Amino acid sequence: MEAYFFPVLMLIIVMILNRNFASIKGWIGEKRVASILSSLNSQDYTLMNDLYLPKENGQTTQIDHLLISPKGIFVIETKNYKGWITGSEHSQYWKQTNYNRKDKLYNPIWQNSGHIKALQAQLGEVAAEIPIHSVIVFGKEATLKFKEPFKNAYVIKSNELLATLDKIQITQEVSFFKRGKVKQLLSPFLIQDKKQKREIKKKHVSDIKNELKQKKTMVSENICPRCGSPLVSRTG
């Protein structure tokens, strides 16, 4: 009996790891970026990791890293992919190429714009007074192959993050008072209790799956999932 126990146990472990591989990779990427950002001066910078903000439809949106700084608020989305990454600011999906394998990923700039919209709703009038910067950070194993520069976001690799934050120029620094106000408004959404955080994350994942099902249903019924208008067949 013991002779069969270890191989079966290893098989179960491998199956669990394969099932959660994407989640583990994402977690590693987020931890790496959080570590880089934590090196910034805490007197000028306030870092909030894994922030869940409510949306208008009752669901939540998850911000990987939110950095409050004298240069404004940085909303940072982490993508721990490897291989060639291609796409444009206006395409719905980007492409990840590993040798002969090609996979799609939802445009992270669009994804981050949803985070920023939820952030602006929570900040209210304060959002209009503070610059908000969208930053997409890929891991060191990614090769970014973009043909055109981005206008509404910084798309970089993790080793370029601090240099990118440093080179951004603004006309006027955000005051200590305004930075404190932002921190005060967002602190309730920074969940410290592990059990509560697991429950929120579980609901968040469930909401995403339900939203994807709803969008697929709308497309099958010739309805645009973004604006709700009828889909029109076009020839190019």
Side-chain angles (χ1 to χ4, degrees):
M1 182 70 179
E2 292 182 359
Y4 295 100
F5 177 74
F6 184 73
V8 172
L9 178 62
M10 290 301 297
L11 179 61
I12 293 173
I13 292 173
V14 170
M15 290 174 64
I16 293 173
L17 288 176
N18 285 335
R19 184 178 178 182
N20 297 283
F21 183 66
S23 298
I24 294 170
K25 278 190 67 179
W27 179 82
I28 292 172
E30 290 178 18
K31 289 297 181 183
R32 182 185 297 127
V33 172
S35 177
I36 294 171
L37 294 171
S38 64
S39 67
L40 294 167
N41 185 349
S42 59
Q43 292 183 345
D44 293 326
Y45 295 88
T46 298
L47 176 62
M48 295 182 172
N49 297 309
D50 210 17
L51 198 64
Y52 288 88
L53 298 180
K55 298 195 297 185
E56 293 178 351
N57 60 2
Q59 298 179 358
T60 56
T61 188
Q62 186 239 346
I63 297 177
D64 291 339
H65 318 281
L66 187 140
L67 186 68
I68 306 168
S69 81
K71 294 183 178 181
I73 302 172
F74 292 90
V75 180
I76 303 170
E77 175 68 21
T78 301
K79 295 296 179 186
N80 199 20
Y81 291 88
K82 64 179 181 179
W84 285 17
I85 307 298
T86 55
S88 70
E89 192 158 0
H90 304 293
S91 56
Q92 183 176 3
Y93 291 98
W94 290 4
K95 187 181 294 182
Q96 174 197 18
T97 304
N98 278 312
Y99 300 101
N100 293 326
R101 176 171 176 172
K102 296 181 180 180
D103 297 292
K104 292 195 303 183
L105 62 145
Y106 186 73
N107 186 334
I109 297 178
W110 290 17
Q111 182 182 359
N112 220 25
S113 67
H115 299 160
I116 292 173
K117 184 178 179 181
L119 173 65
Q120 290 170 330
Q122 290 303 318
L123 296 181
E125 296 179 355
V126 179
E129 303 172 358
I130 300 178
I132 299 178
H133 311 281
S134 178
V135 183
I136 314 300
V137 180
F138 283 87
K140 59 183 179 181
E141 294 182 331
T143 302
L144 307 184
K145 293 282 187 178
F146 301 113
K147 295 181 179 179
E148 300 175 354
F150 299 99
K151 296 180 180 179
N152 298 311
Y154 300 92
V155 183
I156 57 176
K157 294 177 67 172
S158 56
N159 61 339
E160 303 170 317
L161 180 54
L162 294 182
T164 300
L165 299 180
D166 184 59
K167 73 180 182 181
I168 291 175
Q169 301 293 324
I170 59 171
T171 55
Q172 185 177 358
E173 286 194 352
V174 179
S175 68
F176 180 81
F177 172 78
K178 287 182 181 179
R179 299 200 307 266
K181 183 66 175 177
V182 172
K183 182 180 179 180
Q184 179 185 8
L185 290 170
L186 298 180
S187 290
F189 305 106
L190 192 62
I191 310 301
Q192 301 294 343
D193 183 78
K194 291 183 179 180
K195 183 179 179 181
Q196 184 182 1
K197 195 168 188 176
R198 282 196 299 268
E199 291 174 355
I200 292 174
K201 187 173 183 178
K202 185 177 180 180
K203 181 181 181 301
H204 176 70
V205 172
S206 176
D207 288 342
I208 291 174
K209 290 180 179 179
N210 291 334
E211 188 175 4
L212 287 173
K213 288 181 181 178
Q214 183 181 7
K215 286 182 178 180
K216 287 181 180 179
T217 302
M218 292 177 72
V219 171
S220 66
E221 296 175 353
N222 289 325
I223 300 173
C224 176
R226 295 188 67 191
C227 67
S229 300
L231 291 173
V232 179
S233 178
R234 299 184 185 277
T235 56

